[in-house]
Every structure is written in structure tokens, then in C-alpha cells.
Amino acid sequence: MIILKKLYFKATTLSWVILTSCTAVLILLSTLLLPLIEPQTFGGNFDALWFTMTTMLTVGYGDLYPVTALGRIYTIVFLYIVGIGLFATFIGKAIDSITLYRRQKESGGLVYEGKNHIVIIDWSHKAENAIKEILARDPKVEIVVIDTIDKAKEVHERIHFIKGRATDGEVLDKANVKQADALLIFSDDKIEDQVLADGKSLMIACAVERISPEVHTTVEVEREEHIPNFSHVKVDNFILSNATIAKLAVDSILK
């Protein structure tokens, strides 16, 4: 038992590539050797593969089993002792990798490698509404949200979270802004001072301009008189917060 424990812990320290290679080699080796060791039981490689997989997965249908001493010794040593432990470790590492990937995605630690996506700055209430609208209108486009929060507010296959400040070039690179189709900069709701809020948006726009001047940029500004301050930065569209609300209110009564 002590030896088996040592072997198991040794296997868990193997890299993913080595563990996968060892598992594949053992399956291939058993598939080729079992028909040679016991041809009367394993008439072909497919029968040997079937027996190998059902044994290593501990399914054990019992339709095929070795009857000779050499076949049973091989099964005990390479499939029971080594194979089951190796395959269990392989499955465990696979599950751990999926769990780690999910955690990193939720915490914003992954690098987005796609392209033609939409980047949204700050996971605000307005951003959430924009995300819902984008997902509803386009069934393929993916969204990357940049924010300093510790965890993504929503887990979705087409929503990717990058943790960090959007004024940081490395963070923008992690969001792959250079290959994005569009970028939305919403005014920070957590900043009460409109001057400071628009100042933050201006700094983000400057950082984006430096990294990717070609990306289509839309910026929400709190006050219209601040728009000239963006004159030296390439911004394709401006959205006035108060003006938008007022327009929607008027549109609702004057149809």
C-alpha cells in the first residue's frame, strides 16, 4: 500500500504532457501486446483496446478476460496496478485543469486570444445592459470586459473578463484590443464628480489610441463641454449620459 501511495503521488507530480503520453503509450502497448500474449481470447486489436479501456476505467463488463497465466500477470501489473492509477491521475488532472481554467476566467487572469470582439470598459449597470443587447443581437460576437473587480459578474461562454486598469497597456494587450472590432468606454458610475469621471474616460481613450488607433471607439461623457478635450484622441462616437436619458424620455411621450 505504501508503494502504491508513493507511485500515486509521483504520478500526480508529472506534467500534463508526460502524463498524457504515458497513458496513451500504455493503451497502445496493451492494444498491440494482448493479442500476441493471448490470441485465443483477444482475436484482434479492437478486442484488446476494448478490454484495456473497460479495465482502466474500472467498468469491467466481463465479456473479455485473460485466461492464461501470462495474460493475467500482464493485466494485474500493467492494467490493474499501473493502468488504473495512471488513468485516474489523468482524469484528475483533466478535471483540475478545467477547474483552474474556470477560476482564472472568473478572476480575469486569462489572456484573450480571439479577434473581431467587442471590448467594454468597467462592468457597470450600463455595461451589463449593453452586454445583454450585444448577445441578443449577434449570436457569434464575443465580449471582453476590463475592470478592477475581483470576480466576473457573469459567467458566459462569450463573455471574457480581464482584471486590471484599462489605462494599463499590458491589460489592454491581454484583452487583445489590437484585433478588436469595437471598444465601449462607459463613464465610471462610482465616481460622483463628472469632471473626474470624464477625465478617467479620456485617459482610457488615450491608452487605447496608443495601443490600437484603428479600433472603433465609443465614449460616454458626462458633460458635453468636455468633448473638445478628446479632440486630440481618435474617438468615433460620443454618448452624452444626461442627453441620452432626456432623449429617451421625450421619445416615450412624443411618438
Side-chain angles (χ1 to χ4, degrees):
M1 184 61 69
I2 296 176
I3 296 176
L4 291 178
K5 285 184 178 180
K6 289 183 177 180
L7 289 174
Y8 172 75
F9 285 118
K10 187 68 176 178
T12 56
T13 60
L14 295 176
S15 68
W16 177 259
V17 175
I18 295 176
L19 186 61
T20 304
S21 301
C22 290
T23 304
V25 168
L26 180 59
I27 293 173
L28 179 61
L29 191 66
S30 299
T31 301
L32 297 175
L33 289 181
L34 283 172
L36 300 177
I37 295 173
E38 197 166 313
Q40 66 272 29
T41 302
F42 305 102
N45 295 124
F46 183 78
D47 287 341
L49 176 62
W50 172 260
F51 173 73
T52 300
M53 296 305 297
T54 56
T55 302
M56 292 177 64
L57 289 170
T58 68
V59 177
Y61 288 112
D63 54 341
L64 291 173
Y65 52 89
V67 295
T68 64
L70 184 58
R72 289 177 177 179
I73 292 172
Y74 180 90
T75 301
I76 291 172
V77 175
F78 291 98
L79 296 185
Y80 288 174
I81 298 177
V82 179
I84 293 177
L86 190 63
F87 205 85
T89 307
F90 173 80
I91 296 297
K93 277 212 176 250
I95 295 174
D96 288 342
S97 297
I98 295 173
T99 303
L100 179 61
Y101 173 81
R102 183 180 179 86
R103 288 178 181 174
Q104 289 183 333
K105 183 175 181 180
E106 290 180 354
S107 62
L110 297 177
V111 176
Y112 182 76
E113 298 179 349
K115 58 182 180 179
N116 301 326
H117 53 292
I118 297 175
V119 179
I120 296 178
I121 309 300
D122 288 338
W123 212 321
S124 61
H125 179 67
K126 290 172 286 189
E128 291 178 1
N129 291 332
I131 290 171
K132 292 179 181 178
E133 189 70 20
I134 293 170
L135 294 178
R137 291 192 181 190
D138 194 321
K140 295 182 179 180
V141 68
E142 297 193 348
I143 302 169
V144 177
V145 183
I146 300 176
D147 204 333
T148 56
I149 57 178
D150 294 328
K151 187 177 180 180
K153 292 185 177 181
E154 182 179 357
V155 177
H156 191 283
E157 60 180 1
R158 290 199 284 140
I159 301 176
H160 308 270
F161 170 52
I162 302 294
K163 182 180 179 180
R165 300 185 182 278
T167 53
D168 188 339
E170 292 184 3
V171 174
L172 293 175
D173 285 336
K174 287 179 65 176
N176 200 12
V177 172
K178 293 179 181 179
Q179 292 185 295
D181 267 351
L183 184 138
L184 303 178
I185 303 175
F186 286 106
S187 180
D188 193 338
D189 292 336
K190 298 185 290 294
I191 301 177
E192 296 182 0
D193 191 323
Q194 293 181 332
V195 175
L196 295 179
D198 285 344
K200 177 182 177 181
S201 298
L202 177 58
M203 290 181 62
I204 295 173
C206 290
V208 173
E209 170 75 11
R210 179 171 53 85
I211 297 295
S212 179
E214 297 83 11
V215 66
H216 186 282
T217 305
T218 299
V219 178
E220 176 192 12
V221 293
E222 294 287 343
R223 306 186 64 165
E224 187 174 2
E225 59 266 30
H226 293 161
I227 292 180
N229 295 327
F230 290 81
S231 59
H232 64 288
V233 183
K234 179 182 175 296
V235 175
D236 298 282
N237 297 105
F238 289 99
I239 300 175
L240 295 174
S241 300
N242 296 332
T244 302
I245 296 173
K247 183 178 183 302
L248 291 175
V250 172
D251 288 344
S252 67
I253 60 175
L254 298 178
K255 296 181 180 180

